[in-house]
Amino acid sequence: MTAQIALTRPRDDQGLPARLARSAAARHGVSGSLEDFHAWFARRRAATRFAVDRIPFGDLDGWYFRDDTGDLVHRSGRFFSVGGLRVAVGDPPTATWHQPIIGQPEIGILGIMAKEFDGVLHFLVQAKMEPGNPNLLQLSPSVQATRSNYTGVHQGAAVRYLEYFTQAEGHRVLSDVLQSEHGSWFYRKRNRNMVVEVSGDVPPHEDFRWLTLGQIAELLRYDNLVNMDSRSVLASLPADVTPRALHSDTELLSWLAAMRSAHFVRTERIPLRSASGWTRGAASIDHERGRYFSVVAVAVQAGNREVAQWTQPLFEPRGEGVVAFLTREIEGVPHILVRARAEAGFLDTVEFGPTVQTIPENHAHLPPEKHPPFLDVVSGVRPDRVRYSVLQSEEGGRFLNAVSRYMVIDADESMAPLAPPFGFRWVSHGQLAEMARHGHYVNVHARTLLTCLNALAARAR
């Protein structure tokens, strides 16, 4: 007897950009106005005690340096570890170095829940504390959890709303993609970025808030408010922009393949104790020249987390970063100058990155001709050409005070020529938005800028 199979008709997502545009136009939502949001956020900050204190490595609870490798690991064998990495760039190598690197092979879930209220899509965000955030409390996705967290390795409370993403079959998935994390500090780390639309009632909780895309767009104009994971997830939503572009999609993908072929990066995991140029002290691991970043340890107290207190290591960069898109209109179509960004921890060597992505202090000792391309253009830009300039922090669960100034700058031919240097390419806003819906094309810094650019476009409309 033949089994009967019920086929379902695939949903038509052609109407999704229009629904997102309506949400982006809404500055008032089911939870009230932006003034109501700020009052709620202040209440959440006041409701719970948060504290992060630097401690010596010897005070870490559950973490230790392995005798054989010197790697910093957790006694459970889970969460993450800090080991060493040997990097050689070029064939034959033109640059080599050693560095500490975070190993975290688990794939976490970064998920934002969507729901329609009065015909307008809203998105559920969480006031969540992360120990590395400069202001501790920021807006995170509905669910932001490593596999160790949501499988209970920390022996804490269950992750709220997790079931909407682990059992998404009964809901409408608006986006679902594996995305890379910071390739300079993580080794081949990926997270699952999801947006899931639900129709039924969602149990309320005081740490969560429904916001429209228009409200989130306004909040992206505040320093260190919308966290990195939220910005990354929102970048995977389709953008309502023109499909015309200077280069076809096929030409763009061919160029990326050529860049991946041209950038020869050989990496090898090594024991942390073998990472030359780095010195371990009682409370930090530092580069011998005081550059790049340090590995430090902290003790954390947070009343609204799954675990109320813990200790952990964090990476702390030396200096504030600069991350910028140079943009131009080409035949009336907005374009962005992206760079083929190679990072040692990337799974596929190169991804589309911002025009500029650097910490200027790391290059201060070098002559101007050795600075990253376009850094001097961004540093000396006239204020009237700056469309967006906000301080945004990176992932606060692993990085301490990792803050960059994210900028979108209107350029001209003298600043950013139509025929750019090797390793750079003009892509349309629509092309980059489409690439961000697929894994390992757009790096995490460019995804943040893309979300900000989408917010600017929605605000203009």
Side-chain angles (χ1 to χ4, degrees), residues 11 37 50 92 94 155 157 161 163-164 175 233 243 248 265 277 306 313 333 336 344 348 360 376 399 402 412 438:
R11 284 183 179 270
F37 164 83
F50 304 115
T94 56
Q155 298 181 342
Y161 305 129
E163 67 275 11
Y164 291 91
S175 67
V233 174
S248 70
V265 180
E306 293 86 5
V333 177
I336 303 155
D348 211 354
D376 294 340
F399 311 135
D412 58 21
H438 304 275

Side-chain angles (χ1 to χ4, degrees), residues 216-455:
I216 296 172
E218 291 300 318
L219 297 177
L220 282 165
R221 304 177 72 84
Y222 289 80
D223 290 346
N224 299 317
L225 180 54
V226 180
N227 85 350
M228 186 209 77
D229 293 324
S230 295
R231 303 187 310 256
S232 175
V233 174
L234 292 172
S236 67
L237 290 171
D240 188 14
V241 291
T242 176
R244 293 190 298 127
L246 178 64
H247 304 286
S248 70
D249 292 351
T250 300
E251 290 171 335
L252 187 58
L253 290 172
S254 176
W255 178 79
L256 181 62
M259 290 297 100
R260 286 174 169 171
S261 301
H263 287 79
F264 190 87
V265 180
R266 182 186 291 114
T267 60
E268 179 186 358
R269 301 289 299 275
I270 61 174
L272 183 57
R273 67 169 66 239
S274 300
S276 62
W278 296 82
T279 303
R280 188 179 110 194
S284 63
I285 300 172
D286 306 290
H287 190 263
E288 61 187 2
R289 296 181 181 176
R291 296 182 190 140
Y292 311 120
F293 62 90
S294 298
V295 183
V296 300
V298 296
V300 185
Q301 293 185 27
N304 70 340
R305 290 290 299 263
E306 293 86 5
V307 176
Q309 58 184 23
W310 70 93
T311 64
Q312 69 170 93
L314 292 170
F315 276 33
E316 183 177 29
R318 295 293 186 95
E320 185 178 287
V322 173
V323 181
F325 273 158
L326 294 183
T327 65
R328 290 180 63 178
E329 282 206 358
I330 302 174
E331 296 185 5
V333 177
H335 279 69
I336 303 155
L337 186 61
V338 297
R339 183 174 192 178
R341 172 81 182 181
E343 296 184 16
F346 280 162
L347 186 65
D348 211 354
T349 308
V350 165
E351 297 184 9
F352 293 117
T355 319
V356 173
Q357 176 189 322
T358 191
I359 297 177
E361 288 186 24
N362 290 334
H363 311 284
H365 63 289
L366 299 173
E369 62 270 16
K370 296 290 186 180
H371 290 179
F374 299 105
L375 174 59
D376 294 340
V377 171
V378 170
S379 301
V381 67
R382 296 200 320 260
D384 63 317
R385 288 196 172 273
V386 178
R387 295 174 58 199
Y388 181 86
S389 178
V390 175
L391 292 175
Q392 301 282 12
S393 61
E394 309 305 331
E395 209 274 293
R398 299 292 176 265
F399 311 135
L400 178 63
N401 297 324
V403 175
S404 295
R405 179 159 295 280
Y406 279 80
M407 305 177 72
V408 176
I409 296 170
D410 280 330
D412 58 21
E413 180 68 18
S414 66
M415 300 164 64
L418 203 57
F422 178 82
F424 291 83
R425 195 77 160 182
W426 287 105
V427 305
S428 74
H429 182 178
Q431 284 177 317
L432 195 63
E434 181 59 29
M435 293 296 171
R437 292 175 60 77
H438 304 275
H440 305 290
Y441 281 159
V442 182
N443 82 353
V444 68
H445 295 84
R447 295 199 301 273
T448 277
L449 279 174
L450 179 60
T451 294
C452 298
L453 201 61
N454 291 342

Side-chain angles (χ1 to χ4, degrees), residues 57-299:
F57 290 129
D59 288 350
L60 283 169
D61 180 18
W63 296 84
Y64 67 98
F65 290 98
R66 288 182 48 161
D67 292 335
D68 54 346
T69 62
D71 290 359
L72 183 53
V73 299
H74 193 264
R75 64 188 172 201
S76 67
R78 302 290 292 276
F79 298 110
F80 64 96
S81 62
V82 180
L85 189 71
R86 179 186 294 119
V87 185
V89 178
D91 186 22
T94 56
T96 60
W97 70 88
H98 291 182
Q99 67 169 86
I101 196 83
I102 298 173
Q104 190 174 351
E106 301 177 344
I107 295 176
I109 292 178
L110 308 177
I112 295 180
M113 203 182 310
K115 182 176 168 62
E116 194 169 278
F117 295 93
D118 298 326
V120 177
L121 274 177
H122 288 63
F123 299 83
L124 189 66
V125 294
Q126 175 185 180
K128 186 180 181 71
M129 180 271 192
E130 292 288 353
N133 290 340
N135 52 357
L136 295 183
L137 198 67
Q138 294 190 13
L139 288 182
S140 81
S142 318
V143 168
Q144 177 183 318
T146 67
R147 184 172 180 82
S148 290
N149 289 146
Y150 67 75
T151 56
V153 174
H154 55 24
Q155 298 181 342
V159 176
R160 197 175 301 276
Y161 305 129
L162 177 67
E163 67 275 11
Y164 291 91
F165 301 93
T166 57
Q167 304 168 26
E169 290 80 4
H171 311 295
R172 184 181 182 187
V173 177
L174 303 185
S175 67
D176 189 354
V177 57
L178 288 178
Q179 294 285 21
S180 63
E181 296 290 313
H182 293 71
S184 296
W185 295 333
F186 278 115
Y187 186 73
R188 299 184 177 180
K189 176 73 176 80
R190 299 181 295 168
N191 276 323
R192 191 176 178 188
N193 287 225
M194 303 178 68
V195 180
V196 174
E197 183 181 0
V198 300
S199 56
D201 292 336
V202 176
H205 189 274
E206 57 191 356
D207 286 335
F208 293 76
R209 191 85 168 178
W210 290 104
L211 298 175
T212 68
L213 281 181
Q215 291 176 313
I216 296 172
E218 291 300 318
L219 297 177
L220 282 165
R221 304 177 72 84
Y222 289 80
D223 290 346
N224 299 317
L225 180 54
V226 180
N227 85 350
M228 186 209 77
D229 293 324
S230 295
R231 303 187 310 256
S232 175
V233 174
L234 292 172
S236 67
L237 290 171
D240 188 14
V241 291
T242 176
R244 293 190 298 127
L246 178 64
H247 304 286
S248 70
D249 292 351
T250 300
E251 290 171 335
L252 187 58
L253 290 172
S254 176
W255 178 79
L256 181 62
M259 290 297 100
R260 286 174 169 171
S261 301
H263 287 79
F264 190 87
V265 180
R266 182 186 291 114
T267 60
E268 179 186 358
R269 301 289 299 275
I270 61 174
L272 183 57
R273 67 169 66 239
S274 300
S276 62
W278 296 82
T279 303
R280 188 179 110 194
S284 63
I285 300 172
D286 306 290
H287 190 263
E288 61 187 2
R289 296 181 181 176
R291 296 182 190 140
Y292 311 120
F293 62 90
S294 298
V295 183
V296 300
V298 296

